[in-house]
Amino acid sequence: MEPLEALGHLAQAPVEALERLVRQVRGDLGKGVVLREGPALLPLPFRDGRRGGLFYLGEALVYECWLRFPERGVEGYGLVLGEDREKARALATLDAALAAGVGVEAILEGARASREAREAEDEALWKKVNRTRLEVETL
């Protein structure tokens, strides 16, 4: 699993799971310096399929965190939908850890667990949806 893919799966994980991973890698990364942190609004572009023109549906509130770990010479970035500061910080720390090669196996295992949990949730949801599906021919 590639680091970017792993971070994508971790972004779906509960913040508690991310904080457990951060505790495992934090000591090896050293002291972090916040380069940028806070809420932001991202425009949501959409392309009109008929005319091909670009327009904006609106804006999404996100929280971003950009950290530097000078002892390791790496930076990490985390961005989450909403205002979850802890999750953005945890993702930035894990991004830096992957870049530094610190705790890679634990982080990738956490990403796999997050992916499997998400797939199980999706499968359970689709089972509920399929139970309510109607056959058009029977109507």
Side-chain angles (χ1 to χ4, degrees):
M1 181 181 303
E2 294 294 317
L4 188 57
E5 181 185 358
L7 290 168
H9 291 302
L10 288 170
Q12 303 296 322
V15 71
E16 296 81 18
L18 297 178
E19 288 173 347
R20 277 194 301 273
L21 289 170
V22 167
R23 281 193 294 274
Q24 292 178 18
V25 300
R26 191 72 157 130
D28 292 334
L29 282 176
K31 185 172 171 65
V33 177
V34 176
L35 299 177
R36 183 173 175 171
E37 181 178 34
L41 291 172
L42 291 181
L44 297 173
F46 186 77
R47 185 165 304 279
D48 180 359
R50 192 162 199 198
R51 294 188 179 159
L54 188 66
F55 66 94
Y56 291 93
L57 294 172
E59 296 174 326
L61 177 65
V62 296
Y63 197 92
E64 65 179 337
C65 183
W66 183 13
L67 302 175
R68 177 177 292 150
F69 294 89
E71 293 175 24
R72 286 289 189 154
V74 294
E75 294 179 357
Y77 185 78
L79 180 112
V80 295
L81 192 59
E83 292 185 283
D84 197 342
R85 177 180 185 261
E86 290 78 21
K87 191 176 232 185
R89 277 185 156 243
L91 287 170
T93 303
L94 295 173
D95 183 29
L98 286 171
V102 173
V104 173
E105 284 306 313
I107 295 170
L108 293 180
E109 183 55 39
R112 283 196 248 349
S114 176
R115 180 186 65 204
E116 290 167 3
R118 185 68 170 192
E119 287 172 351
E121 288 174 12
D122 288 348
E123 186 177 328
L125 176 63
W126 279 110
K127 282 181 182 178
K128 289 179 184 178
V129 168
N130 286 332
R131 282 198 308 258
T132 63
R133 186 165 285 170
L134 295 175
E135 292 292 328
V136 176
E137 291 81 24
T138 61
L139 296 175

